[in-house]
Amino acid sequence: MPLRVKRTYETPIKADGSRVLVERLWPRGMTKEAVAVEAWLKEVAPSTELRRWFAHRPERWEEFRRRYGRELDARPDLWRPLLEASKKKTVTLLFSAHDPTRNSAVALHDYLTEKRRLER
């Protein structure tokens, strides 16, 4: 089943499947009803220190991905449930960052996609 990434400010649709917010901070100005999340997994998000260091600076993207990957490697208990769920149903990782291509949900998606590939 697909593992998708979507901005929290986009309208929820049935094809999103299980919607999971994967950020430490709740999206500014959004209600629980508007975000329509099944789960909010704060702990799977990058550490506060890493998030602040990255500061959504494009030149830090590749290093951010490496550092976040190391954080994820150290805590498989946090991301493994997402990977297992995505094998059974569509899972949409939600983010609120402005940049749709360089954010922690995209990095997590890529990390999980690689883990899934390696398990085959």
Side-chain angles (χ1 to χ4, degrees):
M1 301 305 293
L3 185 60
R4 299 180 177 169
V5 178
K6 187 173 185 178
R7 198 158 186 254
T8 56
Y9 301 100
E10 295 177 48
T11 304
I13 59 174
K14 189 172 185 120
D16 290 342
S18 180
R19 294 169 51 90
V20 181
L21 181 61
V22 292
E23 294 194 337
R24 290 201 182 271
L25 304 175
W26 188 261
R28 185 172 288 149
M30 298 290 291
T31 64
K32 288 182 182 180
E33 294 77 24
V35 178
V37 297
E38 185 174 302
W40 180 14
L41 302 181
K42 298 177 200 179
E43 294 79 20
V44 79
S47 65
T48 299
E49 297 78 19
L50 180 56
R51 183 177 52 81
R52 288 180 179 160
W53 172 84
F54 175 45
H56 297 285
R57 292 173 58 180
E59 68 274 13
R60 292 184 175 175
W61 173 241
E62 290 305 321
E63 182 60 24
F64 168 78
R65 287 169 43 102
R66 281 189 287 282
R67 292 181 185 191
Y68 184 31
R70 286 194 298 268
E71 287 185 357
L72 292 169
D73 286 344
R75 296 293 311 269
D77 58 307
L78 299 177
W79 55 262
R80 174 66 56 189
L82 284 171
L83 185 63
E84 294 305 318
S86 73
K87 293 176 183 177
K88 300 174 188 143
K89 60 184 176 182
T90 300
V91 174
T92 299
L93 306 176
L94 299 174
F95 70 95
S96 58
H98 292 288
D99 188 335
T101 59
R102 288 183 297 265
N103 62 69
S104 60
V106 169
L108 178 58
H109 171 274
D110 294 348
Y111 181 90
L112 294 173
T113 299
E114 179 62 13
K115 291 295 183 188
R116 182 191 272 179
R117 186 188 68 76
L118 293 172
E119 287 184 358
R120 288 187 181 150

